[in-house]
Amino acid sequence: MYPVDVNGPRKAIKSWSVTFVATMYLFAKTSTSFPILGNVDVSSLSGRDSGHLFNRCLLGPGQDSHRIGTGPSPLWPYQIFDSVSFNPPALNITSDRQDLAPGLLFLTPSDFGPPSGAAKEVAPVIMTDSGQLVWNGPSAEAADLQLFTYKGRPTLSYWSGISSNGVGYGKITFLDTSYNEILTLCPQLNLTTPDNIKYACEAGIHEASLTDRNTLLIDAYNVTTADLSSVGGPVHGWVFDNLILEIDPGSGAILYRWSALEHVPINETKEPLAGTGRNQSQPFDWFHLSSIVQLGDGLLAIFKTATSSSPERHANVPTRFPAVQAWQHHARPRHLSNTSLTLSLFNNANNYPYNLTTIPSTGLELHLTLPPNPSHPPTLLKRLHDPSNPIYTGSQGSYQTLPHDHVLLDYGQVPVLREYNAAGEAIWTAQYGTPNRAQGYRAFKYEWHATPTTAPDLAVKKSVDGGGEMCGYRGFVSWNGATDVEGWVVEEGAEVGKLRQVGVVGYRGFETSFGLGEQCARLVAVVGKGGRRGRASRVVCA
């Protein structure tokens, strides 16, 4: 167990809420055609289901379907489904039942450090704040699943690749509201790496921030030599040089490049050498860029020496803000004028593994003067943490302002999310992994509506009664990524031309189970409050 305390992974747990996940298909599944019989009345789908979907084996109307799998520590409880074969984590939720901000959760659970077996499956996911899955992306190490407007359209993006010790090399994928891939940004930068491997894509794991110019700000890590004598290291030492790149996502063209090593003295770092910097395989990570975002015509960056801004996009010399606390992540400007800046950030107050303190990690909102002036230190506007259950996280984390002045904090290395209300009270907490063995780089909450081009997934199985006797059939249906399903039209029959509608089942969660009188069926999604018929599954037989 890594030495970061969260006061125990099971503290203040009141209930289990289940996460349902299915893997996103990267191809368009061909669905058999189905007759348009008019819209479906959805007014009754919240209670009893229509039609004659019952027999002596059934437990009632359509049901939320899931099972929870467990294993030896540090494996976190995970979901098991019948319509899909994926195993996402379950959310362990504590809530005081206050009204939460609207939206869906976007997160990227994974193992912390080398694969530790803490996560049964690693993939980007979208969930409700009650723990229901909405979408599960491809199985891959991922980070920074977010929503933004790209060229006027809502767009998902996430990083995926390979990471180790806080450094990553990978690609950034853009998806539309049907989860179709719009583009993949795979920068090839000819970087030198600690293991001397040439990775196919070399975007860093820490940032993919869209500007109002529809360009993307990313980071990259290049290993190079440097004089470390000013910090007690060798004259001919090895370091990570942190790069900021502005890229045109469409063409991949690099529009702007900035190097930390070229502009910031190494001896300004707060990071101890701790035996690194003597060879290429263990470079000194003195700067460790963790956040880049557009700030007017310039850039705002967070790194281990201080908070910095460049007054113009192509300026080479950064302007420094006075440091408020060490080891911050995810800085975002909220209000900018000619004389001041309001800034939000996640304040770790700890640095794994060298600087672990008794100061809890918090969310901060600060007011800073412009231009920065040491005689006018930042003013604290908001400091968010739960005194009854403090968390001390040594890496990663995010701060997101939500509607109604709520805030969502993600605690990075400690896989916990918390929503705070306008009064600064923690009103909802969700844990999705074992602290310091699983992680989530950042997490967000957005209002999101999507209709996949893939077809729903259906499984049909024989049903048995309590005595083990064959007793009809049960179906299990899900539609990965669909946000507006109200129910399912159930059709029985073995051939498309001979299907007959036998009833309508209400939406009961990511996977809904229901009874069948025959062994073959097809399901048609009922989408939206108007009852529009959506995509159909293929015909499936037990």
Side-chain angles (χ1 to χ4, degrees):
M1 183 68 71
Y2 293 101
V4 179
D5 183 25
V6 70
N7 292 331
R10 296 291 191 271
K11 183 173 180 180
I13 291 171
K14 297 179 181 178
S15 63
W16 278 102
S17 181
V18 176
T19 306
F20 300 101
V21 179
T23 290
M24 180 190 78
Y25 295 101
L26 296 181
F27 55 89
K29 235 187 206 178
T30 301
S31 174
T32 54
S33 60
F34 57 92
I36 303 299
L37 300 177
N39 289 354
V40 176
D41 181 7
V42 300
S43 61
S44 64
L45 295 185
S46 61
R48 295 183 56 189
D49 300 321
S50 64
H52 56 277
L53 301 176
F54 59 88
N55 58 45
R56 64 186 176 85
C57 294
L58 299 189
L59 302 177
Q63 298 174 329
D64 180 9
S65 176
H66 67 272
R67 300 187 303 280
I68 294 179
T70 59
S73 179
L75 179 63
W76 187 257
Y78 58 91
Q79 296 302 305
I80 302 172
F81 307 99
D82 289 282
S83 61
V84 291
S85 57
F86 304 100
N87 303 120
L91 287 190
N92 196 353
I93 293 176
T94 303
S95 175
D96 67 2
R97 303 187 182 277
Q98 289 190 40
D99 289 338
L100 301 176
L104 302 171
L105 300 171
F106 290 56
L107 62 154
T108 52
S110 65
D111 286 339
F112 176 62
S116 62
K120 184 70 172 178
E121 182 185 10
V122 174
V125 295
I126 301 174
M127 300 186 225
T128 69
D129 52 29
S130 63
Q132 290 282 352
L133 176 84
V134 175
W135 174 76
N136 195 128
S139 292
E141 182 179 357
D144 212 15
L145 175 63
Q146 57 182 313
L147 172 65
F148 48 64
T149 300
Y150 177 63
K151 294 186 175 181
R153 297 183 177 182
T155 302
L156 295 183
S157 81
Y158 64 93
W159 178 94
S160 60
I162 297 172
S163 71
S164 178
N165 297 319
V167 177
Y169 304 91
K171 62 184 179 180
I172 298 165
T173 302
F174 284 22
L175 304 176
D176 65 15
T177 55
S178 293
Y179 305 97
N180 297 314
E181 188 174 304
I182 300 172
L183 59 86
T184 297
L185 185 65
C186 177
Q188 297 173 334
L189 306 171
N190 196 31
L191 300 177
T192 300
T193 62
D195 49 19
N196 219 27
I197 293 175
K198 294 297 182 183
Y199 294 96
C201 303
E202 297 179 314
I205 193 173
H206 294 95
E207 190 63 86
S209 175
L210 196 72
T211 72
D212 60 12
R213 301 178 289 272
N214 281 316
T215 60
L216 201 66
L217 298 171
I218 69 169
D219 69 293
Y221 276 62
N222 185 50
V223 177
T224 188
T225 55
D227 183 354
L228 297 179
S229 58
S230 65
V231 291
V235 172
H236 302 290
W238 292 84
V239 298
F240 279 118
D241 183 16
N242 283 208
L243 305 177
I244 296 175
L245 303 172
E246 182 177 9
I247 297 181
D248 177 0
S251 67
I254 297 175
L255 308 176
Y256 171 64
R257 175 190 177 277
W258 185 88
S259 160
L261 195 59
E262 293 172 4
H263 304 294
V264 180
I266 291 177
N267 60 10
E268 289 193 9
T269 187
K270 299 179 185 298
E271 184 81 356
L273 267 173
T276 65
R278 299 186 178 279
N279 52 58
Q280 179 181 336
S281 62
Q282 293 183 307
F284 180 35
D285 191 7
W286 65 281
F287 191 85
H288 200 86
L289 183 72
S290 66
S291 183
I292 319 162
V293 68
Q294 180 181 3
L295 181 63
D297 292 329
L299 304 177
L300 175 74
I302 288 287
F303 50 93
K304 282 188 174 179
T305 56
T307 303
S308 263
S309 73
S310 172
E312 297 180 5
R313 182 162 56 108
H314 298 290
N316 286 327
V317 180
T319 301
R320 306 293 169 79
F321 290 116
V324 180
Q325 185 58 265
W327 328 122
Q328 308 102 333
H329 282 82
H330 195 233
R332 288 297 184 265
R334 294 196 59 197
H335 305 292
L336 174 66
S337 71
N338 291 330
T339 59
S340 66
L341 167 68
T342 299
L343 182 71
S344 66
L345 55 85
F346 183 82
N347 184 44
N348 295 79
N350 295 268
N351 177 34
Y352 174 82
Y354 307 114
N355 300 86
L356 303 176
T357 73
T358 57
I359 303 172
S361 301
T362 58
L364 298 181
E365 191 170 305
L366 309 169
H367 181 268
L368 303 100
T369 59
L370 294 178
N373 186 340
S375 64
H376 294 89
T379 302
L380 180 64
L381 302 179
K382 187 178 293 186
R383 183 173 184 265
L384 298 173
H385 74 109
D386 184 357
S388 66
N389 191 11
I391 296 177
Y392 308 86
T393 183
S395 69
Q396 309 165 76
S398 59
Y399 179 119
Q400 184 192 15
T401 301
L402 301 174
H404 314 308
D405 203 26
H406 286 209
V407 171
L408 181 70
L409 296 187
D410 172 69
Y411 287 85
Q413 181 182 335
V414 177
V416 170
L417 309 175
R418 275 191 184 147
E419 183 170 331
Y420 293 82
N421 64 14
E425 301 165 328
I427 59 174
W428 175 92
T429 300
Q431 185 175 345
Y432 54 93
T434 302
N436 312 311
R437 304 302 297 272
Q439 65 184 352
Y441 177 61
R442 292 173 179 170
F444 303 103
K445 196 174 192 182
Y446 302 108
E447 295 189 66
W448 168 249
H449 296 275
T451 302
T453 54
T454 55
D457 290 291
L458 173 66
V460 178
K461 298 185 177 183
K462 293 179 179 179
S463 181
V464 295
D465 61 19
E469 296 293 326
M470 171 63 186
C471 188
Y473 302 90
R474 287 200 72 79
F476 305 85
V477 65
S478 62
W479 195 9
N480 186 31
T483 60
D484 300 303
V485 175
E486 295 289 335
W488 301 95
V489 175
V490 183
E491 301 170 337
E492 291 183 341
E495 300 178 23
V496 172
K498 298 181 180 179
L499 295 171
R500 62 190 181 91
Q501 181 174 318
V502 297
V504 179
V505 176
Y507 176 84
R508 300 292 182 253
F510 175 73
E511 183 176 81
T512 298
S513 70
F514 52 91
L516 289 169
E518 298 185 13
Q519 66 175 346
C520 298
R522 183 178 73 170
L523 273 286
V524 182
V526 180
V527 180
K529 299 300 182 182
R532 178 177 60 85
R533 290 172 179 252
R535 294 294 300 266
S537 73
R538 61 189 179 87
V539 174
V540 176
C541 299

